[in-house]
Structures are given as structure tokens and as C-alpha cells.
Amino acid sequence: MEGILQQLSEYAASEVYPFHMPGHKRNMPEEISRLAGAAKLDITEIEGFDDLHAPKGILLEAQERAAAVFGADETFFLVNGSTAGILTAVSAAAPKGSRVIVARNCHKSVYHACFLRELHPVFLYPRTVREYGIADAIRPEQVEEALKDVPDIAAVIITSPTYDGVVSDIEKIADIVHRTGIPLIVDAAHGAHFGFSPLFPESPVRQGADLVVQSLHKTLPALTQTALLHVSGPLVDREGVRDFERIYQTSSPSYLLTGSIDACVRLLEKGECWDGFGDKLRLFYEKTAGLKHIRVMNRDIMEKGCMKAFDAGKLLISVINTKITGNTLYKELLNRYYLQLEMASDTYVTAIVTPWDREEGLLRLAEALLEIDRETEIESDGREGQCLPGEEALTGKPYPELKTALPLHRALTAPKEFCPLRKAAGKTAGTYVNLYPPGIPLVIPGEVITEEVIKLIEMYVRQRLNVQGVENAGDSKGLTGDLQISILK
């Protein structure tokens, strides 16, 4: 053990008595003694441990090490997750009230940044991989056309890799964006492992992006909420980044989290953690080669879309054209086989795999899928499982294009009222509506609700997916006819 964790351990073992925060004093009560081990390393900003918001010692050294390992000019430790990094990056790059180009499949934290800075987003909608119903990459020519069509853009914001593992051509997009003299922000929260093994695509940090946000905890051995914000190039004011980072992060950063970040970076620096991961993946693909109805998208997804690359660490398992939904498969894997997957969507489920997965886990997943596949029937008419008449046209259209009636920053705080969802077509939304996970809005405040998006929301609710932003009326049982949505008065 080295670095921050080593210093924390030495302090915990020393004779120094803690007349400082936190209040547990490294002496947890018996009732919550399960946290005793963590409490030993849990301190505040005391002598010799630096200050994350004005680093000069061990935290500055740790951040400089991270920048060197990831290939950035400067790297900031984030203890409030990638959300804090997104808020910081967008706020630093885009002046208040400016226009920004935004991929529509960005996480809701991007929209929150637009709200806080009163930005006017110009949306880029990804195409859909029709065979599987997932969003494809943002194409370089889309970005180029938008920059030509819309004047005075302050920044471009895209997500790569996406929650599904789809990778855009960051190098080409960065070149196009930089010709106009503005920065490219990449939400790479799901790509902290990129660039460290031939199994994965190159990191956007090394492909020209100016601001890159990565969650260590999502795909690497680090505690939840740990993330990094990387800054490169001359287009973003570094002092502005520092100012906003101090605003959006807690003034009491956890040393458990900074120690976890530092330890993870040191592990990546050694470069030994990827051994055997490819063998585990190959074993899974060999075991699932006999699937007849359920499909592992990773086998051929690159052939069906325009994406630059695909993340091998995301297993996307499709039930499209079968008599079951993604949520049915998700619940079956959990309740019958004790396998907890990352997410369920309407026609697929997502499993995240990393080098720290055990071979036994991947074998259990493969065997479970084979058994369920043998029991699964395929729709004879080609319709997706459990779709009502007319709903089959909705699958494969994850982000309907909606018109903006009122800017986001005005709509979110405007007077609102509830309206039955089925009567909301033509009304202006007063809230976000999204599936969670992944937290990507189907509707944002200020957009005009359409019949198409109403049907999509109803289909998701009927399939018992976690839809945020619609509510049941009174004591209803959750039938789609009882759903209400917030609209502007």
C-alpha cells in the first residue's frame, strides 16, 4: 500500500489523539461497529493531509500523478461523482446564457448544468441501431453541420462511451470543434478504463477532448462517487475550472474517497490489472454461442451502426422479437439465478463486466441465459415481446425529437400543475421524464409533449421499468391511464 491510504493508515496507528472531526473519533459505537474499519481512515483536513480545494502537498502530488497516468494536462479529484465534474466542466466552458451543442443522450447532469448557467442547448440526436433499439454514436458530420447552422456556440458536449458502451469518433469531432475555436466536453463517465488495454478503445483524453469527466467507480476498483475531471489544451480557463470545482464539490471531502482514487490511479500506473480479462470474456462468448432467441449484441453491433468502437466491458443482452421484455429477463436473472444486472430497458438488459469479475460469475450468467433461452419463444409476427398494437413502432426510438416552447432555465421554475398524461399532448412539460438508470431525459422542462412520447412513457410504465417524472393519481394501482405529469400553467 502506498500514497494517501498508506499515510491514513499510519496516522490511524499513531499515538495522535483526534480532537478534530469527524465525530466518531475513530471509535465507532458498537451499534454501528461494521463501519469501524472505514472509520479508522476517515479524517478531515488536518496537519499533513493537504486540502483538496487548495492542494499543495499529498493531494496535489496525487492529482499530478493522475494527470500523467491518464494523459491530461491537469486532473481534478472528484468526490461528488461525475455529476460534480459535468457541472464544473460545462460551467467553466460556457458563459452564462450562451448556446451549446448537446448530444440528446447526455446524462441529466448536463441538463442541470444548462439550467444553472441558463444555457440554450442545441440538440444532436443519435441515430438508432434498429436491430437492437439502442442509440448509435454522434457522427462527426452532425457536429460539423450544427456548427455551420447555429452561430455563437460556446461549447460542444457529447457522451462517449454511452451508458450502452457506444463510442463516437472523438478524434474527428475534436478536430471539427477546434476549428471554430471552442472546447469539446466529453462525458466519459463509463470510460475510465479506456486506453489502458488493447481490449478497450482509446481514451478521449488522448484524442483531443478539452474537458473529460470519468467515473473511476463505474468500471475500476474504486469506491462509489470517485471520479476525475481532466483538462487539456488552452481553450478552457483553468482558474474558472478551479472556481466551479470548489462550488460544486463538498467543502468536507472524504479522505476515504481521495485515498481510493489515488490507490486506483497507482494500480493503473502499474498496468498489471488486465491480465486474464480477455480470457474471461472469450469464455462467456463461447458458452453463449448456442443462444437461439436471446442475443448478445456485442457479437455484431459494430456491423449495424456507425459507432467508432464499442466497449467490451458492457454486455448488452437483447430479447427483441421474443415474447419477453428486458425487464422480464432482468427479474428472472435476479429472482431465479441471483444475478444482479446493471439495468433493464424495454428490449435488453445490461451487465457491466470488469477484470475484477470472477470467472464463476460469468459462467453463471452464461448458463442462466442458455436455460432461459431454451424456455423462450420468439414472436411469430416479429413484434417485440409484450407490445400492444401500435407500440412496436416505438421500440428502437429511444429519444423522440420534441420542440422547445420555453427555455429550460425558465420552464423548470415556472408555475406548474398536474395533467393526466393521456391528455398532455400539446402541453409544455414542467418536469424531466427519464428512465433510471440511465438518467437520460425523454422529456425536459419547456418541451412540447407529443402523442409519440406519451405512448413511449406508457409502454415503459406498463413494462414496469423505473420511469421518473410521472406520478400515479391518488390511490391508483399504477395503471397507465392514471398517470399524471407536471405541465406549465
Side-chain angles (χ1 to χ4, degrees):
M1 183 168 52
E2 300 174 293
I4 295 172
L5 287 182
Q6 175 67 28
Q7 194 160 335
L8 290 170
S9 298
E10 290 173 359
Y11 179 72
S14 73
E15 295 183 2
V16 177
Y17 187 87
F19 281 110
H20 59 74
M21 297 184 289
H24 57 66
K25 302 301 185 90
R26 306 202 305 269
N27 183 32
M28 276 291 186
E30 185 177 348
E31 293 84 351
I32 46 177
S33 60
R34 290 184 180 181
L35 294 175
K40 293 292 184 184
L41 306 181
D42 184 28
I43 63 167
T44 187
E45 296 94 334
I46 58 174
E47 188 72 23
F49 282 90
D50 211 357
D51 181 345
L52 187 62
H53 297 302
K56 297 177 181 177
I58 60 169
L59 290 173
L60 176 61
E61 293 171 6
Q63 290 185 140
E64 289 175 343
R65 175 178 285 104
V69 169
F70 281 87
D73 290 349
E74 188 170 0
T75 294
F76 295 83
F77 280 14
L78 303 174
V79 295
N80 288 74
S82 281
T83 291
I86 292 294
L87 296 175
T88 298
V90 175
S91 298
K96 190 173 183 179
S98 60
R99 289 191 184 95
V100 289
I101 291 175
V102 178
R104 184 56 195 238
N105 58 333
C106 280
H107 184 261
K108 59 185 179 180
S109 59
V110 171
Y111 296 84
H112 295 166
C114 289
F115 166 75
L116 291 169
R117 298 292 284 164
E118 299 183 3
L119 304 179
H120 299 271
V122 177
F123 292 121
L124 299 180
Y125 286 83
R127 292 176 178 173
T128 302
V129 181
R130 289 288 173 183
E131 290 86 345
Y132 290 129
I134 70 166
D136 206 337
I138 295 296
R139 292 168 289 118
E141 53 267 32
Q142 279 182 278
V143 179
E144 190 166 30
E145 289 169 10
L147 287 169
K148 288 179 181 176
D149 293 343
V150 184
D152 303 322
I153 294 295
V156 175
I157 310 164
I158 67 172
T159 299
S160 181
T162 66
Y163 190 74
D164 292 324
V166 172
V167 179
S168 295
D169 193 335
I170 298 300
E171 193 167 10
K172 283 188 179 178
I173 292 172
D175 181 59
I176 291 166
V177 172
H178 291 161
R179 286 181 217 154
T180 65
I182 61 174
L184 172 63
I185 302 170
V186 178
D187 177 358
H190 285 265
H193 56 300
F194 279 20
F196 291 103
S197 165
L199 292 168
F200 304 114
E202 182 57 275
S203 168
V205 179
R206 295 186 175 91
Q207 292 183 310
D210 303 273
L211 291 156
V212 178
V213 181
Q214 295 180 318
S215 288
L216 295 184
H217 74 93
K218 285 181 169 62
T219 58
L220 294 170
L223 296 179
T224 296
Q225 287 188 204
T226 57
L228 299 171
L229 169 59
H230 306 288
V231 189
S232 299
L235 294 177
V236 179
D237 176 33
R238 304 289 175 82
E239 283 305 314
V241 175
R242 293 186 186 95
D243 288 342
F244 282 109
E245 176 269 328
R246 294 178 186 124
I247 291 171
Y248 293 125
Q249 290 219 86
T250 176
S251 59
S252 301
S254 166
Y255 276 81
L256 284 170
L257 298 185
T258 56
S260 176
I261 294 172
D262 182 47
C264 182
V265 170
R266 289 171 181 271
L267 183 68
L268 293 174
E269 189 176 34
K270 293 179 180 178
E272 300 169 355
C273 51
W274 312 105
D275 295 346
F277 183 53
D279 293 333
K280 293 176 190 175
L281 287 177
R282 280 189 288 275
L283 180 61
F284 173 80
Y285 289 125
E286 289 171 5
K287 292 290 184 181
T288 55
L291 291 173
K292 294 181 179 179
H293 308 310
I294 296 171
R295 290 184 282 175
V296 179
M297 296 189 211
N298 306 53
R299 295 181 186 278
D300 61 358
I301 195 168
M302 286 283 293
E303 304 166 11
K304 301 182 182 298
C306 66
M307 63 199 73
K308 175 70 174 179
F310 188 79
D311 180 9
K314 291 286 177 71
L315 296 179
L316 303 187
I317 302 162
S318 173
V319 294
I320 208 162
N321 293 333
T322 72
K323 290 186 176 181
I324 64 173
T325 66
N327 199 36
T328 303
L329 177 60
Y330 175 92
K331 295 293 187 183
E332 187 78 354
L333 288 168
L334 177 59
N335 297 329
R336 184 173 163 189
Y337 298 96
Y338 306 103
L339 297 168
Q340 176 64 69
L341 270 64
E342 169 68 18
M343 186 202 74
S345 188
D346 54 338
T347 59
Y348 65 96
V349 296
T350 303
I352 294 178
V353 290
T354 78
W356 297 273
D357 273 293
R358 296 185 297 276
E359 184 178 296
E360 171 260 341
L362 286 165
L363 287 175
R364 281 177 58 193
L365 177 58
E367 290 163 3
L369 290 173
L370 287 166
E371 190 166 332
I372 296 170
D373 186 70
R374 287 192 290 269
E375 301 167 357
T376 299
E377 298 179 49
I378 195 165
E379 288 284 5
S380 58
D381 59 1
R383 286 196 296 111
E384 285 76 11
Q386 300 184 17
C387 282
L388 294 176
E391 282 186 348
E392 59 272 14
L394 299 173
T395 58
K397 297 185 71 176
Y399 309 110
E401 296 188 28
L402 306 179
K403 294 181 179 179
T404 298
L406 194 69
L408 169 61
H409 66 272
R410 291 175 55 194
L412 191 59
T413 55
K416 304 176 183 68
E417 61 186 359
F418 278 102
C419 171
L421 180 63
R422 286 187 175 176
K423 297 181 179 180
K427 308 290 186 183
T428 301
T431 188
Y432 295 95
V433 180
N434 60 264
L435 289 176
Y436 193 85
I440 299 170
L442 302 168
V443 180
I444 68 170
E447 289 186 329
V448 179
I449 300 166
T450 63
E451 290 286 357
E452 180 186 18
V453 79
I454 289 171
K455 290 178 181 177
L456 188 62
I457 293 168
E458 288 181 337
M459 183 180 76
Y460 288 154
V461 170
R462 192 172 53 78
Q463 293 182 355
R464 301 187 182 279
L465 297 173
N466 182 22
V467 182
Q468 297 179 337
V470 291
E471 300 183 18
N472 294 325
D475 298 324
S476 75
K477 303 286 187 184
L479 301 174
T480 57
D482 298 318
L483 294 174
Q484 295 194 38
I485 188 170
S486 173
I487 61 169
L488 301 191
K489 288 185 177 180

